[in-house]
Amino acid sequence: MSTDPFYGVEVIETGTGSSVVREQKAATVFLIGTAPVGDVHADANTRANYIQNAIIIRSREDAVAAFGEHADGYTLPATIDAIFDQAGPNGVGTIEAVNVYDPDVHAGGVGDVTNLDIIGGFTAAGKPQGLKIAYDSYQRFGRFCKIIGAPGFTGMTGVRAELETICNRIRARAVLDAPIGVTAQQAIEARGPRGAFDWQFSNRRPIPVWPHMSVVDLASGGERLDPYSSRFIGVWLSTIMENGYHHSPSNRPVYGIEGSEVPVLYIPGDKQSDVQLLRDAGIVTVEERYGKGPHTSGNRSSAHPTDTDMRNFLHVQFTEDMLDEATIAYLDQHKDRNGSPPRIEFLEEGMNDFLKSKMVGDDPALSGGQFRFDRTKTTKASVAQGQFFWKLDYAPVGIMEHITVDRNIDLNLISNALGLAA
């Protein structure tokens, strides 16, 4: 409060404000790939806006106007179309798409696009390119995308490692496809050191998916194989929009496909079917059901089974990420402000009100939560250095992945039914 002389009436604010905890957008995906931009943007200057630049896509019409129709060898139009196939009444959220194909640079065609184009880097002027553009989302759009997809490129050298690095930094998750032609056994073996391809990693951010999906090629009228990651991302986004980020994307219908690349054996209640073995290896697959059609199958990230922390559940890590971002955004408003008792009390009340709002109703996002100032870890020495410690405890909602029924024959029920003597 200023102590300068003043003559007249003034109004001053002495409270800590009315800031509230606000969640970031959850249904957001960052896509990278290739598009036939030369078909829709003949002028090089116009075309430049759709090369190495993030474009927000809200509809199929937006996608066609920006990137053109699907054409052989290009990935973005097909990926976006696959995602929109999964849309429910509330849509699929926000798609942020980057095309790395430049007809003026890749003179030999789309086949000239390499892993380095996808991984990207920074220009001399500091402009991000390729996957590095995902770091720019917060500055441009006010949030980082929660899911990252690079269908058709995740098997390229260095791409998966770059996806892990980015996801770890921005609290995202990446969906990774197996190569075409892989069997269920080969997919499982790839999680170990002797696999035909490299899926030997344990991280809560990457999510391996298998197999590819068979879809109708609108250009030829025949069938083609599409990366499963495109459909799974669409299902996940639709699940978030319809039910919330705290719900699993597993056991949801997959739309717009003719079937899977290879049959995936699913026998309800059987512990030895393909689906059981794949899920136990931390691989998301598909269940093909009589009378219901293909459904997604798998709740875990690649951290399973070596990491037994509850965060290897997809919905738990997502819930924690949303909670962390909301907390950071809320407290950031109070950074560099005085750590007085009224402000400390205000922050505690604000966060606890937010947590309570996530624990009520018919579909709570949290089982419990508490935020408090840590009066033990915070010392006079730490305060003298400007460091205040807080404690955030929370419990996610569990999901019924494994349902056990204790079944037994009770002969007393026969006596009851027939009215027999005891």
Side-chain angles (χ1 to χ4, degrees):
M1 183 186 302
S2 172
T3 58
D4 292 342
F6 174 76
Y7 306 96
V9 179
E10 66 174 337
V11 176
I12 60 174
E13 181 177 332
T14 58
T16 52
S18 59
S19 59
V20 296
V21 184
R22 184 174 68 89
E23 286 183 327
Q24 302 295 307
K25 290 183 178 180
T28 53
V29 60
F30 178 92
L31 299 177
I32 193 165
T34 55
V37 290
D39 293 350
V40 286
H41 307 291
D43 178 76
N45 290 330
T46 304
R47 194 161 55 235
N49 295 324
Y50 301 93
I51 299 170
Q52 296 287 3
N53 188 33
I55 304 297
I56 298 297
I57 302 296
R58 296 185 176 87
S59 66
R60 296 180 194 268
E61 292 75 18
D62 284 350
V64 172
F67 300 122
E69 300 279 0
H70 172 71
D72 287 343
Y74 299 92
T75 63
L76 270 183
T79 297
I80 295 171
D81 194 58
I83 290 174
F84 278 119
D85 277 350
Q86 315 312 313
N90 294 322
V92 291
T94 301
I95 298 174
E96 184 179 334
V98 173
N99 162 55
V100 301
Y101 172 67
D102 185 346
D104 297 318
V105 173
H106 304 103
V110 70
D112 283 356
V113 172
T114 69
N115 58 330
L116 298 181
D117 292 310
I118 299 298
I119 294 170
F122 294 90
T123 66
K127 184 179 185 299
Q129 295 189 313
L131 281 169
K132 303 293 195 303
I133 296 174
Y135 289 126
D136 202 35
S137 296
Y138 185 81
Q139 300 299 326
R140 292 193 63 189
F141 306 118
R143 82 295 175 270
F144 289 115
C145 287
K146 301 300 183 292
I147 303 172
I148 300 181
F153 298 101
T154 56
M156 284 185 165
T157 302
V159 172
R160 188 259 300 165
E162 184 65 24
L163 284 167
E164 282 190 83
T165 298
I166 293 172
C167 288
N168 287 337
R169 291 190 67 186
I170 68 173
R171 297 182 180 86
R173 59 233 78 234
V175 186
L176 313 177
D177 288 288
I180 290 176
V182 166
T183 65
Q185 178 173 327
Q186 289 172 324
I188 295 169
E189 288 175 346
R191 299 286 280 140
R194 299 172 63 183
F197 61 100
D198 183 15
W199 265 4
Q200 192 184 9
F201 45 86
S202 178
N203 189 319
R204 296 168 192 159
R205 302 296 175 180
I207 300 143
V209 299
W210 175 90
H212 277 59
M213 296 292 116
S214 177
V215 302
V216 173
D217 190 320
L218 298 180
S220 67
E223 291 188 17
R224 72 170 193 272
L225 292 176
D226 252 10
Y228 181 23
S229 62
S230 302
R231 308 276 160 180
F232 184 73
I233 288 171
V235 170
W236 203 346
L237 292 171
S238 180
T239 300
I240 295 169
M241 294 298 292
E242 297 296 322
N243 307 111
Y245 57 78
H246 57 294
H247 284 262
S248 168
S250 184
N251 196 12
R252 314 278 178 181
V254 183
Y255 297 114
I257 66 173
E258 298 301 303
S260 57
E261 176 189 4
V262 296
V264 183
L265 179 62
Y266 172 65
I267 303 175
D270 177 32
K271 297 181 179 180
Q272 298 301 314
S273 64
D274 289 345
V275 169
Q276 296 289 338
L277 298 177
L278 288 158
R279 289 179 58 154
D280 194 49
I283 300 170
V284 172
T285 186
V286 64
E287 297 174 3
E288 300 201 51
R289 307 178 182 185
Y290 179 80
K292 291 189 70 174
H295 280 54
T296 56
S297 183
N299 295 307
R300 315 269 188 151
S301 67
S302 69
H304 182 74
T306 57
D307 180 359
T308 58
D309 191 289
M310 194 176 180
R311 294 176 184 87
N312 71 37
F313 278 104
L314 302 181
H315 80 290
V316 173
Q317 185 61 68
F318 213 128
T319 298
E320 183 170 279
D321 290 341
M322 294 297 294
L323 186 58
D324 286 352
E325 289 195 356
T327 303
I328 291 171
Y330 176 62
L331 295 180
D332 193 62
Q333 303 171 80
H334 299 272
K335 177 182 62 184
D336 300 327
R337 301 293 181 260
N338 287 349
S340 61
R343 187 174 296 276
I344 288 172
E345 183 179 353
F346 175 81
L347 293 179
E348 282 184 327
E349 289 180 356
M351 276 299 301
N352 283 314
D353 285 346
F354 167 72
L355 293 171
K356 289 175 184 177
S357 73
K358 297 297 173 183
M359 296 184 285
V360 298
D362 295 332
D363 184 27
L366 298 176
S367 295
Q370 184 182 42
F371 181 78
R372 63 186 184 277
F373 179 55
D374 193 331
R375 289 172 170 81
T376 300
K377 199 169 184 179
T378 304
T379 64
K380 59 186 179 182
S382 71
V383 171
Q385 295 300 315
Q387 186 168 20
F388 289 67
F389 292 91
W390 300 80
K391 184 76 171 175
L392 173 59
D393 295 315
Y394 86 100
V397 176
I399 58 172
M400 297 187 291
E401 184 184 55
H402 186 169
I403 301 173
T404 300
V405 176
D406 187 356
R407 182 256 305 130
N408 188 35
I409 293 178
D410 185 350
L411 295 181
N412 290 325
L413 298 177
I414 296 177
S415 298
N416 295 341
L418 299 178
L420 302 179

mmCIF file with all atom_site columns, all heavy atoms in Angstrom, residues 366-382:
data_model
loop_
_atom_site.group_PDB
_atom_site.id
_atom_site.type_symbol
_atom_site.label_atom_id
_atom_site.label_alt_id
_atom_site.label_comp_id
_atom_site.label_asym_id
_atom_site.label_entity_id
_atom_site.label_seq_id
_atom_site.pdbx_PDB_ins_code
_atom_site.Cartn_x
_atom_site.Cartn_y
_atom_site.Cartn_z
_atom_site.occupancy
_atom_site.B_iso_or_equiv
_atom_site.pdbx_formal_charge
_atom_site.auth_seq_id
_atom_site.auth_comp_id
_atom_site.auth_asym_id
_atom_site.auth_atom_id
_atom_site.pdbx_PDB_model_num
ATOM 1   N N   . LEU A 1 366 ? -12.010 -37.574 -8.804 1.00 0.00 ? 366 LEU A N   1
ATOM 2   C CA  . LEU A 1 366 ? -11.086 -37.944 -7.738 1.00 0.00 ? 366 LEU A CA  1
ATOM 3   C C   . LEU A 1 366 ? -11.819 -38.686 -6.631 1.00 0.00 ? 366 LEU A C   1
ATOM 4   O O   . LEU A 1 366 ? -12.980 -38.386 -6.345 1.00 0.00 ? 366 LEU A O   1
ATOM 5   C CB  . LEU A 1 366 ? -10.417 -36.701 -7.136 1.00 0.00 ? 366 LEU A CB  1
ATOM 6   C CG  . LEU A 1 366 ? -9.531  -35.835 -8.038 1.00 0.00 ? 366 LEU A CG  1
ATOM 7   C CD1 . LEU A 1 366 ? -9.051  -34.617 -7.259 1.00 0.00 ? 366 LEU A CD1 1
ATOM 8   C CD2 . LEU A 1 366 ? -8.355  -36.633 -8.578 1.00 0.00 ? 366 LEU A CD2 1
ATOM 9   N N   . SER A 1 367 ? -11.140 -39.625 -6.005 1.00 0.00 ? 367 SER A N   1
ATOM 10  C CA  . SER A 1 367 ? -11.695 -40.280 -4.822 1.00 0.00 ? 367 SER A CA  1
ATOM 11  C C   . SER A 1 367 ? -11.482 -39.428 -3.581 1.00 0.00 ? 367 SER A C   1
ATOM 12  O O   . SER A 1 367 ? -12.236 -39.511 -2.610 1.00 0.00 ? 367 SER A O   1
ATOM 13  C CB  . SER A 1 367 ? -11.033 -41.652 -4.615 1.00 0.00 ? 367 SER A CB  1
ATOM 14  O OG  . SER A 1 367 ? -11.356 -42.525 -5.675 1.00 0.00 ? 367 SER A OG  1
ATOM 15  N N   . GLY A 1 368 ? -10.438 -38.612 -3.603 1.00 0.00 ? 368 GLY A N   1
ATOM 16  C CA  . GLY A 1 368 ? -10.149 -37.735 -2.474 1.00 0.00 ? 368 GLY A CA  1
ATOM 17  C C   . GLY A 1 368 ? -8.984  -36.827 -2.813 1.00 0.00 ? 368 GLY A C   1
ATOM 18  O O   . GLY A 1 368 ? -8.240  -37.055 -3.765 1.00 0.00 ? 368 GLY A O   1
ATOM 19  N N   . GLY A 1 369 ? -8.833  -35.751 -2.036 1.00 0.00 ? 369 GLY A N   1
ATOM 20  C CA  . GLY A 1 369 ? -7.731  -34.831 -2.275 1.00 0.00 ? 369 GLY A CA  1
ATOM 21  C C   . GLY A 1 369 ? -7.636  -33.781 -1.187 1.00 0.00 ? 369 GLY A C   1
ATOM 22  O O   . GLY A 1 369 ? -8.649  -33.390 -0.599 1.00 0.00 ? 369 GLY A O   1
ATOM 23  N N   . GLN A 1 370 ? -6.407  -33.322 -0.903 1.00 0.00 ? 370 GLN A N   1
ATOM 24  C CA  . GLN A 1 370 ? -6.200  -32.275 0.104  1.00 0.00 ? 370 GLN A CA  1
ATOM 25  C C   . GLN A 1 370 ? -4.956  -31.477 -0.252 1.00 0.00 ? 370 GLN A C   1
ATOM 26  O O   . GLN A 1 370 ? -3.942  -32.034 -0.690 1.00 0.00 ? 370 GLN A O   1
ATOM 27  C CB  . GLN A 1 370 ? -6.038  -32.891 1.495  1.00 0.00 ? 370 GLN A CB  1
ATOM 28  C CG  . GLN A 1 370 ? -5.907  -31.848 2.611  1.00 0.00 ? 370 GLN A CG  1
ATOM 29  C CD  . GLN A 1 370 ? -5.694  -32.475 3.978  1.00 0.00 ? 370 GLN A CD  1
ATOM 30  O OE1 . GLN A 1 370 ? -4.936  -33.432 4.110  1.00 0.00 ? 370 GLN A OE1 1
ATOM 31  N NE2 . GLN A 1 370 ? -6.364  -31.934 4.990  1.00 0.00 ? 370 GLN A NE2 1
ATOM 32  N N   . PHE A 1 371 ? -5.045  -30.161 -0.081 1.00 0.00 ? 371 PHE A N   1
ATOM 33  C CA  . PHE A 1 371 ? -3.920  -29.254 -0.347 1.00 0.00 ? 371 PHE A CA  1
ATOM 34  C C   . PHE A 1 371 ? -3.667  -28.445 0.919  1.00 0.00 ? 371 PHE A C   1
ATOM 35  O O   . PHE A 1 371 ? -4.600  -27.880 1.494  1.00 0.00 ? 371 PHE A O   1
ATOM 36  C CB  . PHE A 1 371 ? -4.283  -28.317 -1.506 1.00 0.00 ? 371 PHE A CB  1
ATOM 37  C CG  . PHE A 1 371 ? -3.191  -27.366 -1.890 1.00 0.00 ? 371 PHE A CG  1
ATOM 38  C CD1 . PHE A 1 371 ? -2.111  -27.790 -2.663 1.00 0.00 ? 371 PHE A CD1 1
ATOM 39  C CD2 . PHE A 1 371 ? -3.240  -26.033 -1.504 1.00 0.00 ? 371 PHE A CD2 1
ATOM 40  C CE1 . PHE A 1 371 ? -1.108  -26.910 -3.034 1.00 0.00 ? 371 PHE A CE1 1
ATOM 41  C CE2 . PHE A 1 371 ? -2.232  -25.145 -1.872 1.00 0.00 ? 371 PHE A CE2 1
ATOM 42  C CZ  . PHE A 1 371 ? -1.163  -25.593 -2.633 1.00 0.00 ? 371 PHE A CZ  1
ATOM 43  N N   . ARG A 1 372 ? -2.410  -28.404 1.361  1.00 0.00 ? 372 ARG A N   1
ATOM 44  C CA  . ARG A 1 372 ? -2.135  -27.680 2.596  1.00 0.00 ? 372 ARG A CA  1
ATOM 45  C C   . ARG A 1 372 ? -0.708  -27.123 2.590  1.00 0.00 ? 372 ARG A C   1
ATOM 46  O O   . ARG A 1 372 ? 0.191   -27.662 1.925  1.00 0.00 ? 372 ARG A O   1
ATOM 47  C CB  . ARG A 1 372 ? -2.331  -28.586 3.808  1.00 0.00 ? 372 ARG A CB  1
ATOM 48  C CG  . ARG A 1 372 ? -1.394  -29.772 3.873  1.00 0.00 ? 372 ARG A CG  1
ATOM 49  C CD  . ARG A 1 372 ? -1.759  -30.699 5.020  1.00 0.00 ? 372 ARG A CD  1
ATOM 50  N NE  . ARG A 1 372 ? -0.830  -31.793 5.185  1.00 0.00 ? 372 ARG A NE  1
ATOM 51  C CZ  . ARG A 1 372 ? -0.869  -32.928 4.486  1.00 0.00 ? 372 ARG A CZ  1
ATOM 52  N NH1 . ARG A 1 372 ? -1.800  -33.099 3.566  1.00 0.00 ? 372 ARG A NH1 1
ATOM 53  N NH2 . ARG A 1 372 ? 0.025   -33.871 4.711  1.00 0.00 ? 372 ARG A NH2 1
ATOM 54  N N   . PHE A 1 373 ? -0.529  -26.078 3.323  1.00 0.00 ? 373 PHE A N   1
ATOM 55  C CA  . PHE A 1 373 ? 0.785   -25.484 3.517  1.00 0.00 ? 373 PHE A CA  1
ATOM 56  C C   . PHE A 1 373 ? 1.592   -26.377 4.451  1.00 0.00 ? 373 PHE A C   1
ATOM 57  O O   . PHE A 1 373 ? 1.117   -26.779 5.512  1.00 0.00 ? 373 PHE A O   1
ATOM 58  C CB  . PHE A 1 373 ? 0.627   -24.083 4.116  1.00 0.00 ? 373 PHE A CB  1
ATOM 59  C CG  . PHE A 1 373 ? 1.909   -23.365 4.392  1.00 0.00 ? 373 PHE A CG  1
ATOM 60  C CD1 . PHE A 1 373 ? 2.850   -23.175 3.391  1.00 0.00 ? 373 PHE A CD1 1
ATOM 61  C CD2 . PHE A 1 373 ? 2.176   -22.873 5.671  1.00 0.00 ? 373 PHE A CD2 1
ATOM 62  C CE1 . PHE A 1 373 ? 4.036   -22.501 3.647  1.00 0.00 ? 373 PHE A CE1 1
ATOM 63  C CE2 . PHE A 1 373 ? 3.354   -22.195 5.940  1.00 0.00 ? 373 PHE A CE2 1
ATOM 64  C CZ  . PHE A 1 373 ? 4.291   -22.012 4.923  1.00 0.00 ? 373 PHE A CZ  1
ATOM 65  N N   . ASP A 1 374 ? 2.807   -26.725 4.027  1.00 0.00 ? 374 ASP A N   1
ATOM 66  C CA  . ASP A 1 374 ? 3.648   -27.628 4.811  1.00 0.00 ? 374 ASP A CA  1
ATOM 67  C C   . ASP A 1 374 ? 4.439   -26.823 5.841  1.00 0.00 ? 374 ASP A C   1
ATOM 68  O O   . ASP A 1 374 ? 5.476   -26.226 5.531  1.00 0.00 ? 374 ASP A O   1
ATOM 69  C CB  . ASP A 1 374 ? 4.598   -28.399 3.885  1.00 0.00 ? 374 ASP A CB  1
ATOM 70  C CG  . ASP A 1 374 ? 5.273   -29.567 4.591  1.00 0.00 ? 374 ASP A CG  1
ATOM 71  O OD1 . ASP A 1 374 ? 5.462   -29.468 5.815  1.00 0.00 ? 374 ASP A OD1 1
ATOM 72  O OD2 . ASP A 1 374 ? 5.611   -30.558 3.915  1.00 0.00 ? 374 ASP A OD2 1
ATOM 73  N N   . ARG A 1 375 ? 3.944   -26.817 7.055  1.00 0.00 ? 375 ARG A N   1
ATOM 74  C CA  . ARG A 1 375 ? 4.569   -26.019 8.118  1.00 0.00 ? 375 ARG A CA  1
ATOM 75  C C   . ARG A 1 375 ? 5.757   -26.727 8.764  1.00 0.00 ? 375 ARG A C   1
ATOM 76  O O   . ARG A 1 375 ? 6.418   -26.154 9.636  1.00 0.00 ? 375 ARG A O   1
ATOM 77  C CB  . ARG A 1 375 ? 3.515   -25.660 9.168  1.00 0.00 ? 375 ARG A CB  1
ATOM 78  C CG  . ARG A 1 375 ? 2.504   -24.642 8.664  1.00 0.00 ? 375 ARG A CG  1
ATOM 79  C CD  . ARG A 1 375 ? 1.366   -24.428 9.625  1.00 0.00 ? 375 ARG A CD  1
ATOM 80  N NE  . ARG A 1 375 ? 0.545   -23.295 9.217  1.00 0.00 ? 375 ARG A NE  1
ATOM 81  C CZ  . ARG A 1 375 ? -0.399  -23.347 8.275  1.00 0.00 ? 375 ARG A CZ  1
ATOM 82  N NH1 . ARG A 1 375 ? -0.614  -24.502 7.632  1.00 0.00 ? 375 ARG A NH1 1
ATOM 83  N NH2 . ARG A 1 375 ? -1.091  -22.281 7.960  1.00 0.00 ? 375 ARG A NH2 1
ATOM 84  N N   . THR A 1 376 ? 6.010   -27.946 8.337  1.00 0.00 ? 376 THR A N   1
ATOM 85  C CA  . THR A 1 376 ? 7.189   -28.659 8.831  1.00 0.00 ? 376 THR A CA  1
ATOM 86  C C   . THR A 1 376 ? 8.364   -28.476 7.878  1.00 0.00 ? 376 THR A C   1
ATOM 87  O O   . THR A 1 376 ? 9.485   -28.154 8.301  1.00 0.00 ? 376 THR A O   1
ATOM 88  C CB  . THR A 1 376 ? 6.882   -30.163 8.991  1.00 0.00 ? 376 THR A CB  1
ATOM 89  O OG1 . THR A 1 376 ? 5.814   -30.332 9.912  1.00 0.00 ? 376 THR A OG1 1
ATOM 90  C CG2 . THR A 1 376 ? 8.112   -30.911 9.484  1.00 0.00 ? 376 THR A CG2 1
ATOM 91  N N   . LYS A 1 377 ? 8.112   -28.655 6.620  1.00 0.00 ? 377 LYS A N   1
ATOM 92  C CA  . LYS A 1 377 ? 9.185   -28.527 5.633  1.00 0.00 ? 377 LYS A CA  1
ATOM 93  C C   . LYS A 1 377 ? 9.568   -27.067 5.401  1.00 0.00 ? 377 LYS A C   1
ATOM 94  O O   . LYS A 1 377 ? 10.712  -26.752 5.085  1.00 0.00 ? 377 LYS A O   1
ATOM 95  C CB  . LYS A 1 377 ? 8.754   -29.185 4.318  1.00 0.00 ? 377 LYS A CB  1
ATOM 96  C CG  . LYS A 1 377 ? 9.893   -29.512 3.390  1.00 0.00 ? 377 LYS A CG  1
ATOM 97  C CD  . LYS A 1 377 ? 9.422   -30.386 2.243  1.00 0.00 ? 377 LYS A CD  1
ATOM 98  C CE  . LYS A 1 377 ? 10.581  -30.808 1.365  1.00 0.00 ? 377 LYS A CE  1
ATOM 99  N NZ  . LYS A 1 377 ? 10.144  -31.686 0.249  1.00 0.00 ? 377 LYS A NZ  1
ATOM 100 N N   . THR A 1 378 ? 8.589   -26.171 5.529  1.00 0.00 ? 378 THR A N   1
ATOM 101 C CA  . THR A 1 378 ? 8.873   -24.748 5.408  1.00 0.00 ? 378 THR A CA  1
ATOM 102 C C   . THR A 1 378 ? 9.490   -24.266 6.719  1.00 0.00 ? 378 THR A C   1
ATOM 103 O O   . THR A 1 378 ? 8.878   -24.395 7.788  1.00 0.00 ? 378 THR A O   1
ATOM 104 C CB  . THR A 1 378 ? 7.595   -23.947 5.116  1.00 0.00 ? 378 THR A CB  1
ATOM 105 O OG1 . THR A 1 378 ? 6.970   -24.475 3.935  1.00 0.00 ? 378 THR A OG1 1
ATOM 106 C CG2 . THR A 1 378 ? 7.923   -22.479 4.890  1.00 0.00 ? 378 THR A CG2 1
ATOM 107 N N   . THR A 1 379 ? 10.676  -23.736 6.639  1.00 0.00 ? 379 THR A N   1
ATOM 108 C CA  . THR A 1 379 ? 11.375  -23.260 7.838  1.00 0.00 ? 379 THR A CA  1
ATOM 109 C C   . THR A 1 379 ? 11.670  -21.770 7.700  1.00 0.00 ? 379 THR A C   1
ATOM 110 O O   . THR A 1 379 ? 11.505  -21.185 6.626  1.00 0.00 ? 379 THR A O   1
ATOM 111 C CB  . THR A 1 379 ? 12.697  -24.016 8.026  1.00 0.00 ? 379 THR A CB  1
ATOM 112 O OG1 . THR A 1 379 ? 13.570  -23.711 6.922  1.00 0.00 ? 379 THR A OG1 1
ATOM 113 C CG2 . THR A 1 379 ? 12.464  -25.520 8.084  1.00 0.00 ? 379 THR A CG2 1
ATOM 114 N N   . LYS A 1 380 ? 12.117  -21.176 8.792  1.00 0.00 ? 380 LYS A N   1
ATOM 115 C CA  . LYS A 1 380 ? 12.482  -19.765 8.711  1.00 0.00 ? 380 LYS A CA  1
ATOM 116 C C   . LYS A 1 380 ? 13.628  -19.547 7.742  1.00 0.00 ? 380 LYS A C   1
ATOM 117 O O   . LYS A 1 380 ? 13.699  -18.507 7.073  1.00 0.00 ? 380 LYS A O   1
ATOM 118 C CB  . LYS A 1 380 ? 12.829  -19.231 10.098 1.00 0.00 ? 380 LYS A CB  1
ATOM 119 C CG  . LYS A 1 380 ? 13.977  -19.965 10.797 1.00 0.00 ? 380 LYS A CG  1
ATOM 120 C CD  . LYS A 1 380 ? 14.155  -19.456 12.218 1.00 0.00 ? 380 LYS A CD  1
ATOM 121 C CE  . LYS A 1 380 ? 15.284  -20.211 12.937 1.00 0.00 ? 380 LYS A CE  1
ATOM 122 N NZ  . LYS A 1 380 ? 15.428  -19.743 14.343 1.00 0.00 ? 380 LYS A NZ  1
ATOM 123 N N   . ALA A 1 381 ? 14.508  -20.541 7.618  1.00 0.00 ? 381 ALA A N   1
ATOM 124 C CA  . ALA A 1 381 ? 15.610  -20.429 6.667  1.00 0.00 ? 381 ALA A CA  1
ATOM 125 C C   . ALA A 1 381 ? 15.101  -20.476 5.228  1.00 0.00 ? 381 ALA A C   1
ATOM 126 O O   . ALA A 1 381 ? 15.553  -19.714 4.367  1.00 0.00 ? 381 ALA A O   1
ATOM 127 C CB  . ALA A 1 381 ? 16.626  -21.542 6.906  1.00 0.00 ? 381 ALA A CB  1
ATOM 128 N N   . SER A 1 382 ? 14.138  -21.379 4.951  1.00 0.00 ? 382 SER A N   1
ATOM 129 C CA  . SER A 1 382 ? 13.606  -21.471 3.590  1.00 0.00 ? 382 SER A CA  1
ATOM 130 C C   . SER A 1 382 ? 12.805  -20.215 3.235  1.00 0.00 ? 382 SER A C   1
ATOM 131 O O   . SER A 1 382 ? 12.867  -19.728 2.108  1.00 0.00 ? 382 SER A O   1
ATOM 132 C CB  . SER A 1 382 ? 12.742  -22.726 3.427  1.00 0.00 ? 382 SER A CB  1
ATOM 133 O OG  . SER A 1 382 ? 11.514  -22.621 4.117  1.00 0.00 ? 382 SER A OG  1
#
